[in-house]
Amino acid sequence: MKKVFNVVIVGAREEEYRNLKTSLESARFETSLAISRAEVTSMQRLSGQTDLMIYCQEEEEAAQCHVPVFVNKTIFVTSCYEKGILLEAFKKGAAYVLFRPLYRAELLPAIRNVLFFSKKYREANLSDASVLSFLKDVAESGVTVIEPVSSPFKPTGHFYPDVLKITGELENEEAYLDALADRGFFTKQLRNRVRLCEMCESYQINYREVCPACSSIDIVKGQMVHHFPCGHVDSLETFRQGADLVCPKCEETLRHIGIDYEKPTDYFKCAQCQTIVPEPVVELECLVCGLVCRPDETVEKNIYSYEMTPHAWEAVRSGVIKGVDLGALLYDHHTNLYNKQYFELELKRELIRTKRYHAPFTLILARIEKIEEIQKNHPDRVAWYVNNLFRALSQGLRELDTTCVWDAQTLGLILAETDFDGALVVVNRIHDAIQKLEYLFDICRPEVSFSVVQGDASHLTVDDLVSRAMADFADG
């Protein structure tokens, strides 16, 4: 059954409304559109009842003061080509600005992007049944890693064709994959970074060099000349007389670079205000909304690839989406995180070393409390919660330290060349790091229990050492 989106066309005259309605009805969307018409006076009242609003500004209105505040996703249609109205419309909440005369080639992509980037559409595809169907299709496609591909037609300049081959309609595939990663079905690897406009979140940004005094783009690069005998420094153009270089101060002809003179540096001269500077200023102009800003005022957007986790493969095999298992979530997806078999082998090696060379080592078991409660109350955030908590637990560890997921709620750490007192210092540091994770408190205030055991000759086997650590948990 197709999803239905309510589209309200506000302020359009009769002919423009008919043209818009005809264009929408003739388009092949994977969703149904319920199209209606409304007057400008009812715009705010209808804001909570619509998925998309097309606001048609009267052709006589050209001033920026005629741009209303848009409460929900709105496509703003105008006849005013002034640059300022673009920025004003985006400031007041417009998702797109289109100019008359309207063309289907511009209108329909704008509508697709607004609708399919909506929360309503994304959540409709995040039900357990939809997610399970998608995971099965990914597994059956043979794709091991879902990779981004560059595209000038996408909002971030990237899209995921492997996802579109499966869904056929999911325009907002990046947000969809992020949502599945938050639930523990995918791990992410950074593939690219793009800079987005902070106003309209477009990647279509023009970088340009301007004069720091007057912001003019009319700047010219030149060279400075230093005349050794008299010490005069000026621009190359000032020294040039026909085919020769002649010092304007002492009138001596410059013949040999490196002997008579040098060109120590470049400079930039503004043709508007004549200011000369060693370096111009870089500014950005958004080609969509017209915002001009500094590079550090843009928004950095990370572009990831996505790989299915053991938790996702288990859901495919069993046909059931279960609660996230900490072991499945974290296994082999972080630096120095090993499987339990390798971890036990390292414990055995450390026991041999301490018996033969009296080299100290310490086993730490860190048990994350209330995992079941988090899975029950926040199933969609548990992956994100655990990942952040694990980073805090791993903070400051050395390369020679070994970590693993011991069981569904316990992490194991081997601290080589570290005695009991040194291990307590590490535990206190980890505890302090955990207390700083205030952004996790809305889900659950992190609670971690620690068991610290120094390995020595009295521990005959790995099982003896682990049993001692587990007994410490039992003793409280």
Side-chain angles (χ1 to χ4, degrees):
M1 179 179 175
K2 288 187 175 182
K3 293 169 283 294
V4 177
F5 287 89
N6 295 315
V7 178
V8 176
I9 301 173
V10 177
R13 294 180 178 178
E14 186 63 37
E15 183 180 356
E16 186 170 42
Y17 172 74
R18 287 199 305 269
N19 291 338
L20 283 170
K21 192 170 186 293
T22 300
S23 294
L24 293 176
E25 290 176 341
S26 65
R28 292 191 175 184
F29 288 111
E30 296 81 5
T31 183
S32 298
L33 302 181
I35 305 169
S36 59
R37 185 182 181 188
E39 299 298 325
V40 175
T41 54
S42 61
M43 183 178 70
Q44 301 298 331
R45 177 177 57 83
L46 294 172
S47 62
Q49 306 170 25
T50 63
D51 299 299
L52 168 64
M53 187 173 289
I54 301 177
Y55 178 85
C56 300
Q57 185 186 46
E58 290 186 16
E59 297 198 22
E60 294 78 11
E61 295 179 344
Q64 297 178 24
C65 60
H66 290 102
V67 179
V69 175
F70 304 117
V71 178
N72 59 338
K73 292 290 186 179
T74 303
I75 295 175
F76 179 64
V77 179
T78 180
S79 299
C80 176
Y81 285 85
E82 292 181 7
K83 189 174 182 180
I85 203 169
L86 268 175
L87 188 57
E88 186 69 14
F90 280 104
K91 282 183 178 179
K92 292 187 175 181
Y96 280 86
V97 176
L98 300 179
F99 296 100
R100 295 187 181 96
L102 291 176
Y103 298 100
R104 291 179 81 252
E106 296 177 335
L107 176 65
L108 298 184
I111 292 174
R112 287 187 65 89
N113 282 333
V114 172
L115 292 181
F116 294 117
F117 272 66
S118 68
K119 182 179 179 182
K120 176 178 179 180
Y121 185 82
R122 186 175 70 251
E123 290 182 348
N125 289 276
L126 287 176
S127 65
D128 283 357
S130 296
V131 170
L132 187 58
S133 175
F134 175 74
L135 294 177
K136 287 181 177 179
D137 288 336
V138 173
E140 292 172 358
S141 71
V143 175
T144 56
V145 180
I146 299 176
E147 295 282 0
V149 175
S150 301
S151 170
F153 305 107
K154 298 298 180 179
T156 63
H158 296 78
F159 78 116
Y160 295 84
D162 291 322
V163 175
L164 296 183
K165 289 176 184 177
I166 294 172
T167 63
E169 63 172 359
L170 189 61
E171 290 292 309
N172 194 10
E173 66 268 20
E174 189 175 348
Y176 182 66
L177 291 171
D178 279 338
L180 296 185
D182 287 342
R183 293 179 61 178
F185 297 115
F186 288 94
T187 56
K188 304 192 293 186
Q189 291 291 328
L190 186 63
R191 288 292 182 261
N192 201 359
R193 285 193 178 98
V194 294
R195 306 299 303 189
L196 306 179
C197 172
E198 68 170 348
M199 182 66 65
C200 67
E201 297 186 344
S202 168
Y203 79 95
Q204 299 181 53
I205 298 173
N206 179 42
Y207 289 74
R208 61 193 187 187
E209 296 175 328
V210 300
C211 172
C214 68
S215 297
S216 170
I217 63 172
D218 192 2
I219 54 176
V220 180
K221 184 177 182 180
Q223 285 186 314
M224 301 299 288
V225 174
H226 174 209
H227 187 208
F228 291 146
C230 71
H232 185 64
V233 179
D234 211 328
S235 67
L236 179 64
E237 288 74 17
T238 305
F239 277 82
R240 193 180 301 280
Q241 291 187 15
D244 297 325
L245 296 178
V246 179
C247 178
K249 179 181 179 183
C250 66
E251 298 184 351
E252 181 180 332
T253 300
L254 284 60
R255 302 185 185 280
H256 305 288
I257 188 168
I259 298 176
D260 298 335
Y261 68 99
E262 66 175 349
K263 297 178 180 178
T265 184
D266 296 330
Y267 71 92
F268 293 84
K269 183 176 182 179
C270 177
Q272 296 294 322
C273 67
Q274 306 302 311
T275 298
I276 296 177
V277 293
E279 292 290 340
V281 172
V282 177
E283 71 175 17
L284 285 75
E285 179 189 25
C286 178
L287 301 179
V288 175
C289 72
L291 177 70
V292 176
C293 66
R294 301 190 310 270
D296 61 353
E297 293 176 327
T298 57
V299 178
E300 184 177 86
K301 172 69 175 177
N302 290 335
I303 305 298
Y304 297 98
S305 64
Y306 297 82
E307 183 178 3
M308 285 175 60
T309 63
H311 175 57
W313 286 107
E314 175 59 30
V316 172
R317 285 191 293 268
S318 65
V320 177
I321 292 181
K322 302 176 182 178
V324 177
D325 179 4
L326 183 60
L329 175 65
L330 296 177
Y331 166 66
D332 204 26
H333 293 294
H334 295 274
T335 303
N336 285 341
L337 183 65
Y338 299 98
N339 59 36
K340 188 174 180 180
Q341 183 179 7
Y342 178 84
F343 189 82
E344 290 177 331
L345 178 61
E346 284 296 296
L347 274 179
K348 185 176 181 180
R349 291 179 59 191
E350 289 295 334
L351 278 175
I352 294 173
R353 289 179 66 250
T354 196
K355 292 175 182 178
R356 182 172 299 177
Y357 305 110
H358 304 288
F361 81 95
T362 305
L363 169 65
I364 299 178
L365 296 183
R367 186 172 64 194
I368 302 175
E369 307 293 350
K370 299 183 178 180
I371 285 293
E372 295 83 1
E373 177 182 331
I374 298 170
Q375 289 177 345
K376 178 181 178 181
N377 297 330
H378 304 277
D380 58 331
R381 304 295 301 281
V382 63
W384 175 81
Y385 180 92
V386 170
N387 275 313
N388 281 274
L389 192 52
F390 180 79
R391 279 194 290 269
L393 288 168
S394 305
Q395 186 176 5
L397 295 181
R398 305 161 300 176
E399 289 187 7
L400 68 155
D401 298 329
T402 307
T403 59
C404 90
V405 177
W406 186 261
D407 61 32
Q409 65 181 102
T410 307
L411 299 172
L413 299 86
I414 301 174
L415 305 184
E417 301 292 339
T418 305
D419 60 15
F420 184 83
D421 292 336
L424 290 182
V425 173
V426 174
V427 168
N428 289 332
R429 187 167 64 237
I430 292 174
H431 182 268
D432 291 342
I434 292 172
Q435 299 311 307
K436 295 178 181 178
L437 304 179
E438 296 183 0
Y439 56 89
L440 298 181
F441 290 3
D442 289 341
I443 297 176
C444 180
R445 191 182 186 96
E447 293 184 16
V448 180
S449 301
F450 295 93
S451 174
V452 182
V453 178
Q454 180 174 335
D456 55 43
S458 65
H459 302 116
L460 299 179
T461 65
V462 170
D463 289 340
D464 290 338
L465 183 63
V466 174
S467 296
R468 168 70 186 279
M470 290 296 184
D472 285 352
F473 276 142
D475 293 340

